[in-house]
Amino acid sequence: MATTAHDIERKTPKAVYVFEAPVRIWHWVHALSIVVLSVTGYLIANPLPSVGGEASQSFLMGNLRLVHFIAGYVFAIGLVVRIYWGFVGNRWSRELLYLPLWRGQWWRDLFEEIKYYLFLRREPTNHVAHNALAQAAMWFFNVVLGLFMIFTGFALYGEGLGLDSWADRLFGWVIPLLGGSQSVRMLHIVGMWLFIVFAIIHIYMALRADIMSKASSVSAIISGWRIYRD
Amino acid sequence: MQQRETFYDVMRRHGITRRSFLKFCSLTAAGLGLGPEFAGKIAHALETKPRTPVIWLHGLECTCCTESFIRSGNPLAGDVVLSMISLDYDDTLMAAAGHQAEELLEQTIEKYDGQYILACEGNPPLNEDGMYCIQAGKPYVEKLRHMADHCKAIIAWGSCASWGCVQAARPNPTRATPIHKVILDKPIVKVPGCPPIAEVMTGVITYMIAFDRLPELDRQGRPKMFYSQRLHDKCYRRPHFDAGQFVEHFDDEGARKGYCLYKVGCKGPTTYNACSTLEWNDGLSWPVKSGHGCLGCAEDNFWDKGSFYSAVTNFGVMGGAEATADKVGGLLAGAAAVGVAAHAAVSAATHIARRRSEETQNG
Ligand code: HEM
Ligand code: SF4
Ligand code: SF4
C-alpha cells in the first residue's frame, strides 16, 4: 500500500481534505431527506386530527404521501450516487461502504475505541475520517438500514402503483418475504425509529468530538477540511 | 371408449334450462372480468369438454367457506356450480355417508386419475402424527396426501388452506399447516379470505373447469383477477383518507359522516381481496360500508399481528412479541436519548477533572 491513513497521521499535518464536495452534499441531502421522511412517515402511520369540510377540498394525506415519496426518491438516488462515489472518490470516501473484517488492526481499533467511549482509555484512536467504531455504525445505519428502507419503501410504493408496475416487479418480492404488507409497514416504522436512534447518537458524537478531541468534526462536513489543533 | 359426460349434460340432467345455462355463462364471464365474447367461449367449453370432477375435502376449519359458497349472491350461479361439483365428493354437501362416501374417493381416483380438481377447505394439523383431525379412522393429512397424489390441481379455499388461519395462531398447538407447505408437487391456487367471497369462489372454480387451466396467479399464488388490488385501492371512503378525514371513535361525528376508518384500525391498505369491488351477499354491503374497518382476513398471519383497532400493530414475525412497532421504536429512541445524556454527563465530568489535574501539574 502507498500512503495509508496512518502515514498521514504520523506526519500530523495541520489539516486534511477529507470530505470531498459530493460526500458533503450527499451528507446534507441525506440528512434532510431522513428528516422529511421521518416526519411525513410518522404522520402517515399516525394521522393528524381530521380536517373538516368536503373531502374534495383537501388533500392532506395525499400531499404527505406525495412529499414522502419524493423524499424517498431523493433518499434512494442519493444513496446510489454515494455508493458510486465510494468507487471513484478519495480513500476515505469508501469507509462507510464496507467493514474491513479481515484486518486484525481494525478489530484492535474497534476494541480500543469502545474502551475510549467507556472511559477506559484517555485518547481516541487516531483516524482521519472514521475510527473503527464510527465506521461500523456508519456502515450499518447508512448502507444496511438505508437499503432496508429503500427496499421496504419501494415495495410499499409498488403496492400503490399496482401489480406488475416497475416498483412491484423490482421490489414486490420483499412483501411476502417479510410476512405480508402489514408486517412490511411495521418494519418500515421500526426502521424509522432506528434512524432516529442513529441521529441522536450521531449528533452527540459529532459535537462531543468537536469539543473534546483535537480534530474538527462539525466544520469538516461543511468545509471538507479536518483541522487539527494542538 | 365410452363418451364422457360434459358439464352441459350434467346440468341439463339436473333440470337447468338452456336459457339459464347461457345466463350463467354470461354472468360468469362478467364476474371474471372477461369480455362479453367469453360468455360464448365458456358455454362452448362446458358443452364440449368432458366434465372435470371436483373433490372437496374438509380439514381443520369452521366450514365458513362452504357457507359462503352455498350463499352465492346469484342463486343461479350457486345452483349451477353446485350441480357441477357436488356430484363427486363433498363431505358437507353430498348425500352419501360413511363407508359409501369414502368409497367414492377411491372410485374417483380409479376413473379420473390425474384429472380431477382437489378443492381443500381447512388444513391438516401435523402434530401427534396428525391425530388432531381424524376422518374415517385416519389422520386427515393422510387422506389429503393420498387424494393430492392423484389430482390435477388443488384449490386452497379460504385463509385456513391458504395460510393456516386462527387454528394456526401462536402457539399453534396442533401445528395446523397450510396446504402449500404439505403438498409440494401440485399446482395450488390460493383463494384466501375468512371466508372468501362466494362470487370469487364460483368464479375461480368455473374458470378452472371451463378453460381447463389455472387462472393467472400472483407472486403468492392467488388469482390475479380477484386479488391484485388492496381494498384501499378501490374503497369508496378513499377520498376521505386522502383528504385526512378519519373516524377517531365509532360514535363520533366522523363515523356519522362516513370518514375513513384507518385510525380505528382498518387493514384495507394492507389487504388484497375483492370486498371493495364485489362486496358481499350479492353486492349488498361489506365491512367498511357498514362502518367497521377491514380485519385483513385474507392476509397471511392476520390473526397474529395485533390489534384490529389500530393502524400501527405488531409485525407478526417475531414469536411472542406483543409490542407495536411504535412502542418498540419509541423505547429504543428513548433509551438512546437517556444513554447519550448520561454519557455526556460523564464525559464532561472526566474532561473537567482531567483539566484540573493538568492545571495543578503544570502550575
Ligand atoms: C429514512 C427513510 C424512511 C423513513 C424514516 C420512512 C418512514 C415511513 C413511515 C413511518 C411510514 C408509515 C408506515 C405506515 O404506517 O404505513 C412510511 C410509509 C411509506 N413509505 Fe417510507 N420511510 C423511509 C423511506 C422510504 C422510501 C425510500 C420510500 C420509497 C419510495 C418510502 C415509501 C413509503 C411508502 C410507499 C409508504 C406507505 C404510504 C402509504 O401507503 O400511505 N419510504 N414511511
Ligand atoms: S376505510 Fe379502510 S380501505 Fe377505505 S380508505 Fe380508509 S383505510 Fe382505506
Ligand atoms: S373487509 Fe377485510 S376482513 Fe372483511 S372480509 Fe374483506 S378482507 Fe376479510
Side-chain angles (χ1 to χ4, degrees), chain A residues 138-196:
Chain A
M138 288 295 167
W139 173 77
F140 176 76
F141 284 102
N142 288 298
V143 179
V144 179
L145 186 60
L147 289 178
F148 178 80
M149 293 310 274
I150 290 170
F151 277 79
T152 51
F154 278 102
L156 295 176
Y157 191 59
E159 293 195 294
L161 292 187
L163 202 71
D164 296 329
S165 61
W166 70 268
D168 175 63
R169 279 168 204 260
L170 279 180
F171 300 101
W173 52 271
V174 171
I175 288 175
L177 184 75
L178 295 181
S181 182
Q182 185 72 10
S183 299
V184 173
R185 270 155 198 270
M186 296 311 116
L187 292 167
H188 197 72
I189 292 180
V190 171
M192 172 190 77
W193 285 106
L194 288 179
F195 263 114
I196 293 171

Side-chain angles (χ1 to χ4, degrees), chain A residues 26 30-31 34 75 79 82-83 95-99 132-150 190-203 205, chain B residues 329 332-333 336:
Chain A
W26 171 75
H30 196 60
I34 290 173
F75 180 88
L79 192 62
R82 178 63 184 81
I83 288 172
E95 270 186 358
L96 63 73
L97 301 184
Y98 71 102
L99 297 183
L133 184 61
Q135 186 183 1
M138 288 295 167
W139 173 77
F140 176 76
F141 284 102
N142 288 298
V143 179
V144 179
L145 186 60
L147 289 178
F148 178 80
M149 293 310 274
I150 290 170
V190 171
M192 172 190 77
W193 285 106
L194 288 179
F195 263 114
I196 293 171
V197 167
F198 171 68
I200 294 171
I201 297 173
H202 175 68
I203 294 168
M205 293 292 209
Chain B
L332 286 174

Side-chain angles (χ1 to χ4, degrees), chain A:
Chain A
M1 245 186 274
T3 45
T4 66
H6 281 277
D7 294 334
I8 290 174
E9 272 139 31
R10 228 170 282 140
K11 286 182 220 132
T12 51
K14 285 273 170 277
V16 184
Y17 187 57
V18 191
F19 301 123
E20 298 156 292
V23 173
R24 272 141 48 212
I25 295 170
W26 171 75
H27 173 272
W28 293 108
V29 168
H30 196 60
L32 183 69
S33 63
I34 290 173
V35 171
V36 172
L37 283 162
S38 299
V39 172
T40 53
Y42 183 84
L43 292 175
I44 291 168
N46 307 279
L48 296 165
S50 298
V51 294
E54 285 292 325
S56 56
Q57 277 167 346
S58 89
F59 197 60
L60 183 62
M61 277 297 266
N63 285 327
L64 280 173
R65 292 173 69 242
L66 180 66
V67 171
H68 191 84
F69 303 156
I70 293 170
Y73 271 108
V74 170
F75 180 88
I77 294 168
L79 192 62
V80 170
V81 171
R82 178 63 184 81
I83 288 172
Y84 162 76
W85 192 257
F87 289 96
V88 300
N90 67 18
R91 60 160 103 29
W92 300 292
S93 68
R94 37 196 158 275
E95 270 186 358
L96 63 73
L97 301 184
Y98 71 102
L99 297 183
L101 300 175
W102 58 92
R103 268 189 225 141
Q105 184 59 39
W106 189 83
W107 286 99
R108 278 188 290 281
D109 278 358
L110 180 70
F111 188 64
E112 289 303 317
E113 195 62 31
I114 291 172
K115 272 168 65 182
Y116 167 68
Y117 281 110
L118 292 177
F119 307 104
L120 299 173
R121 181 191 149 108
R122 277 190 87 125
E123 295 297 324
T125 60
N126 237 335
H127 289 274
V128 173
H130 300 104
N131 64 57
L133 184 61
Q135 186 183 1
M138 288 295 167
W139 173 77
F140 176 76
F141 284 102
N142 288 298
V143 179
V144 179
L145 186 60
L147 289 178
F148 178 80
M149 293 310 274
I150 290 170
F151 277 79
T152 51
F154 278 102
L156 295 176
Y157 191 59
E159 293 195 294
L161 292 187
L163 202 71
D164 296 329
S165 61
W166 70 268
D168 175 63
R169 279 168 204 260
L170 279 180
F171 300 101
W173 52 271
V174 171
I175 288 175
L177 184 75
L178 295 181
S181 182
Q182 185 72 10
S183 299
V184 173
R185 270 155 198 270
M186 296 311 116
L187 292 167
H188 197 72
I189 292 180
V190 171
M192 172 190 77
W193 285 106
L194 288 179
F195 263 114
I196 293 171
V197 167
F198 171 68
I200 294 171
I201 297 173
H202 175 68
I203 294 168
Y204 166 65
M205 293 292 209
L207 292 175
R208 183 180 189 277
D210 229 22
I211 297 165
M212 295 186 54
S213 85
K214 295 192 168 67
S216 71
S217 144
V218 178
S219 63
I221 196 65
I222 298 171
S223 69
W225 289 87
R226 176 145 283 157
I227 299 166
Y228 294 89
R229 308 175 286 232
D230 296 312

